[in-house]
Amino acid sequence: MKINKAWLAKNTFLLMYWFVVLYNFHRYIFKYNSEGTSPTYANTPLIWQIGKYLILFVLLPIFYSCLHYRKKLYKEYAVIYFWIFFVVLINILNFFAWGSIFVDEIEYCIWFVAFLPYCFAVQDLNSLGIDFEKILKWTAIILFISNLIAVANFYLFGRLPALAYEGGLVRFGSFWDDPNSFGIICVFFAFYFLDRGKLILSMASFANILITVSFASYLLCVAAVAFWTFRNYKSIDKKWLLIGLGLMFILIISVIIYFDKLYDLYLIKEDSVMAHLVDNLVFSFYPLQNSGLQFSENWYVSVFYNYFPFSIILWLITFYFFINLFVTISNREIKFFFFLMLLSMFFFSTLYSFPLNVVFAIILLDYFKVQLQIPKKAEKNLI
């Protein structure tokens, strides 16, 4: 029997997508996280830590076997993978020199390496015939329902989520049990659904952002409001602008009225806030001079210290790409997604969070594939 490769590729991708979205539900369901940050939880068993690799590395070869390939690679991909190779090399040398390794960063690189065959494929995700609008809608609904269950469990039965303490601050991050990652996704959903006139889902997104108690997500949301307004101000009905100004006025009055409570909340999260804003890393003029790779909540800071002076090149490339978001990318959703990802890395290490590291990697690679395949002159960029 002849297998329909187009059908198999599409459904294998959908299977991988839902696996990536739902995998971390084990955190809330089985109360797995880290005993250090979640006192009512147990440390995640090793099988759950490596399970995502085992399953995806079974599905990926099936997906790749359904695609058609070219023999050459675009130069833009070569730049990405040169950096991935460099990061892995520094980590390996650091392990032999100082006995330590940056596990989260290695995981991020592993996903890029796993997606390398896709860079040679002729097809892109859009050509698979996947209804992304439909799956994004159901992704939002599933995540929102899981968060509603977590909230109800807390108020009805006292069931604490991962980042919560009895009698203290309680933060909700859906069944992912990750308020920061969930907050980023909710910011994307809020404006994605707003653009499509799905006001209930958009308002639900804003409500979920609020209960993450994630200052990074709050700042990202404010930046997203500015970005969305800048992008749409010519087409926005004046009625909606007046409603927006009215809501801003109500927000300002609310901040004034509840300033003391908001200040108390800041004091509770002060250590976390300062960890994102202030670093105590040791600078050196070349990698491996210090006693090991250093971690900062700000991804750009981590990169700067750990890979200087090569990090300056990556900074310039990243910021050049960031500026070009407003010029070269025509797809509104992709533009907004990259805006959120690149901006959120100022607040915390977005790239290291599963499933965001997988989502960011595949969308970045797919974006270059689509952009480079459209113009015929792009063929000269092949190596």
Side-chain angles (χ1 to χ4, degrees):
M1 183 178 66
K2 188 176 181 179
I3 298 175
N4 186 329
K5 288 192 174 184
W7 178 90
L8 184 59
K10 174 183 176 180
N11 286 281
T12 304
F13 176 81
L14 287 174
L15 184 60
M16 289 190 294
Y17 173 84
W18 287 114
F19 172 78
V20 167
V21 170
L22 301 177
Y23 184 78
N24 272 359
F25 276 29
H26 74 269
R27 288 183 174 180
Y28 185 85
I29 295 172
F30 300 117
K31 301 180 74 172
Y32 290 151
N33 199 349
S34 168
E35 293 177 351
T37 58
S38 308
T40 62
Y41 279 43
N43 289 324
T44 304
L46 180 62
I47 187 61
W48 277 107
Q49 294 182 42
I50 65 174
K52 53 183 177 284
Y53 299 108
L54 297 177
I55 295 175
L56 282 177
F57 287 178
V58 169
L59 293 175
L60 278 171
I62 298 174
F63 176 68
Y64 292 147
S65 69
C66 301
L67 304 179
H68 301 287
Y69 297 92
R70 62 170 63 86
K71 295 181 179 180
K72 297 183 179 181
L73 187 70
Y74 289 113
K75 292 179 180 178
E76 284 77 0
Y77 284 137
V79 172
I80 294 173
Y81 280 95
F82 173 80
W83 179 258
I84 297 299
F85 169 78
F86 178 72
V87 168
V88 172
L89 177 63
I90 294 299
N91 272 270
I92 292 174
L93 293 177
N94 181 76
F95 176 78
F96 286 107
W98 307 107
S100 64
I101 198 167
F102 204 154
V103 177
D104 291 335
E105 197 161 74
I106 288 295
E107 177 183 340
Y108 165 54
C109 293
I110 287 173
W111 295 122
F112 268 97
V113 173
F115 297 143
L116 178 59
Y118 178 72
C119 300
F120 288 91
V122 175
Q123 297 97 320
D124 57 72
L125 296 182
N126 190 57
S127 68
L128 297 178
I130 297 169
D131 188 344
F132 282 100
E133 186 169 348
K134 182 178 180 180
I135 66 172
L136 285 175
K137 181 185 75 173
W138 280 106
T139 300
I141 291 173
I142 291 170
L143 288 175
F144 294 167
I145 289 175
S146 75
N147 206 38
L148 182 61
I149 293 172
V151 172
N153 264 346
F154 172 72
Y155 285 105
L156 294 177
F157 307 108
R159 163 70 155 87
L160 291 172
L163 299 180
Y165 297 87
E166 193 71 45
L169 180 66
V170 179
R171 305 173 62 195
F172 297 98
S174 76
F175 278 10
W176 285 353
D177 253 353
D178 185 347
N180 288 332
S181 294
F182 180 59
I184 293 176
I185 292 298
C186 285
V187 173
F188 174 78
F189 284 149
F191 294 93
Y192 175 82
F193 292 124
L194 186 61
D195 277 343
R196 281 162 172 70
K198 301 181 185 296
L199 296 182
I200 294 178
L201 286 173
S202 182
M203 293 302 103
S205 302
F206 283 115
N208 279 283
I209 293 168
L210 185 63
I211 60 177
T212 62
V213 195
S214 168
F215 283 5
S217 296
Y218 294 166
L219 289 172
L220 196 63
C221 189
V222 171
V225 169
F227 180 90
W228 187 84
T229 303
F230 173 80
R231 191 186 65 184
N232 297 287
Y233 74 95
K234 290 183 179 180
S235 59
I236 298 175
D237 193 305
K238 291 183 179 179
K239 176 184 68 175
W240 289 106
L241 284 176
L242 290 174
I243 292 174
L245 290 173
L247 291 174
M248 288 181 62
F249 179 75
I250 293 173
L251 178 62
I252 292 171
I253 296 299
S254 300
V255 169
I256 294 173
I257 294 174
Y258 295 103
F259 179 80
D260 290 340
K261 290 185 177 180
L262 291 172
Y263 184 69
D264 290 340
L265 176 62
Y266 167 76
L267 292 178
I268 293 173
K269 291 181 62 66
E270 183 178 13
D271 290 342
S272 175
V273 171
M274 295 309 295
H276 289 78
L277 298 178
V278 180
D279 66 82
N280 297 310
L281 307 187
V282 179
F283 176 78
S284 63
F285 284 98
Y286 52 88
L288 302 178
Q289 184 174 327
N290 297 315
S291 59
L293 293 171
Q294 305 172 84
F295 176 77
S296 169
E297 294 286 356
N298 184 316
W299 181 81
Y300 294 100
V301 171
S302 289
V303 167
F304 178 80
Y305 278 93
N306 289 326
Y307 305 107
F308 188 89
F310 306 98
S311 53
I312 298 297
I313 300 173
L314 181 64
W315 265 25
L316 293 174
I317 293 174
T318 302
F319 288 127
Y320 173 78
F321 181 68
F322 190 85
I323 292 171
N324 272 271
L325 288 176
F326 300 93
V327 180
T328 60
I329 301 180
S330 58
N331 185 296
R332 289 152 62 97
E333 288 76 32
I334 294 296
K335 180 183 292 190
F336 187 53
F337 176 82
F338 284 137
F339 172 79
L340 294 181
M341 290 293 103
L342 295 175
L343 191 62
S344 65
M345 284 185 270
F346 279 106
F347 308 134
F348 45 84
S349 302
T350 305
L351 294 182
Y352 304 140
S353 303
F354 185 86
L356 292 188
N357 49 15
V358 173
V359 174
F360 178 79
I362 193 65
I363 290 182
L364 181 66
L365 296 178
D366 190 65
Y367 160 74
F368 280 116
K369 179 186 294 292
V370 173
Q371 288 297 112
L372 295 171
Q373 286 182 345
I374 291 175
K376 291 183 178 180
K377 64 180 182 180
E379 290 299 319
K380 69 181 182 181
N381 289 329
L382 286 169
I383 59 175

